[in-house]
Amino acid sequence: MVLLHLPRTHISLSTHFSLFPKPKTPAFATATTLPPILTSVLFSAPKSTLSASEPIPISELPEPQIEPPQEFETHIEIPLEKLFVPPETEVSYTDAGALSTRILKGSNILLSKYARNAQVEQAEFVKSSVRTEDCPSDGLPEFALVGRSNVGKSSLLNSLVRRKRLALTSKKPGKTQCINHFRINDGWYLVDLPGYGYAAAPQELRTDWVKFTKDYFLNRSTLVSVFLLIDASIPAKKIDLEYASWLGQNQIPMTLIFTKCDKRKKKRHGGKKAEENVQDFQELISGFFETVPPWIMTSSLTNQGRDEMLLHMAQLRNYWLKH
């Protein structure tokens, strides 16, 4: 269960569209040399009666109910200042002082009034592009999935649309080499971007991937948010930390998607569980953002986090369309 300590306090309702880095950004060395997580800070505030693992009554929203995902048995405790508050979302409390605004399971994201029409009813591949200017020009909003090679990006995309082979998965990392657009419900796009950090790819090809991916981030006017995929089954990688900091420094809206959260073998990968790696990663990038980026824990194997990702996309998308 994801426990929350939420004291009644004033907070700024910052939006997803204003993730600004702090003026002074520490230089990266290696992931192991960055400051350790301060658990005493995370576990000091009074607890709320609301848990992020509690089912969200989707039936109250103006749409059919989404299938509830399997439970996360995590132990991440989230202070109020580390919650992500979507635009135009009121933080409300019960008479007893507990937070009454609902939180998406396995995440730090509050549920807003824009979380509607989240289901995927239709998904189709549209085109592959190697230049931003060659991408679809119909003006529909889009969400880009990017991550280190072998992070499980294609599997996650297939899980989101409930189709096994919409995005081709491969045991060989680096299979995606273009900007791939998939149109969802004829109203928005999921974009599959090339993975980074695959050492076996030719250097010239890796350089091209980096160039056109960054150009896409900086110049794609219909990009609502980048979903940066991080492998939660292993400790933080330097290349992932650098990628997250680059997005922050360039003020590109970002959501952290922690993958492979079903892998819970404590003695492997440095002796830490997935939720511990999730906490560590957030602490390591905290110096690069004035506002806390939204994050969601997922598993393509069990579909954990699938509905939360779709609801999060829906509330960002609907706000973007309105404004």
Side-chain angles (χ1 to χ4, degrees), residues 207-233:
T207 302
D208 288 343
W209 290 352
V210 170
K211 182 180 183 300
F212 75 65
T213 299
K214 288 188 175 181
D215 180 73
Y216 168 84
F217 290 150
L218 294 171
N219 298 304
R220 186 63 171 167
S221 61
T222 54
L223 177 63
V224 178
S225 180
V226 175
F227 280 47
L228 178 60
L229 276 57
I230 306 295
D231 187 344
S233 69

Side-chain angles (χ1 to χ4, degrees), residues 96-117:
L99 184 75
S100 61
T101 307
R102 293 184 176 89
I103 302 171
L104 295 179
K105 277 190 291 187
S107 81
N108 70 331
I109 302 168
L110 295 185
L111 191 67
S112 82
K113 63 182 180 181
Y114 291 101
R116 57 183 183 272
N117 301 322

Side-chain angles (χ1 to χ4, degrees), residues 163-182:
R163 286 174 58 180
K164 292 183 178 180
R165 294 182 63 82
L166 180 69
L168 181 63
T169 59
S170 173
K171 292 183 179 179
K172 183 178 180 180
K175 188 70 175 180
T176 303
Q177 300 178 12
C178 300
I179 304 172
N180 297 311
H181 275 76
F182 300 89

Side-chain angles (χ1 to χ4, degrees), residues 33-103:
T33 61
L34 292 168
I37 186 169
L38 301 176
T39 54
S40 60
V41 175
L42 292 177
F43 294 86
S44 59
K47 294 182 179 178
S48 164
T49 57
L50 179 66
S51 165
S53 287
E54 292 174 357
I56 298 170
I58 302 298
S59 57
E60 294 182 8
L61 300 176
E63 60 179 49
Q65 184 168 346
I66 296 176
E67 284 186 21
Q70 299 184 23
E71 289 289 333
F72 282 106
E73 294 182 357
T74 61
H75 301 281
I76 297 178
E77 300 187 1
I78 310 173
L80 180 59
E81 64 272 14
K82 292 185 179 294
L83 289 176
F84 171 73
V85 182
E88 298 181 14
T89 301
E90 180 181 355
V91 180
S92 57
Y93 299 86
T94 66
D95 292 339
L99 184 75
S100 61
T101 307
R102 293 184 176 89
I103 302 171

Side-chain angles (χ1 to χ4, degrees), residues 272-290:
K272 290 190 175 183
K273 296 181 180 179
E275 59 268 26
E276 295 173 309
N277 288 326
V278 168
Q279 284 184 305
D280 287 351
F281 190 91
Q282 294 174 68
E283 187 68 19
L284 292 171
I285 68 164
S286 62
F288 296 91
F289 297 89
E290 287 289 357

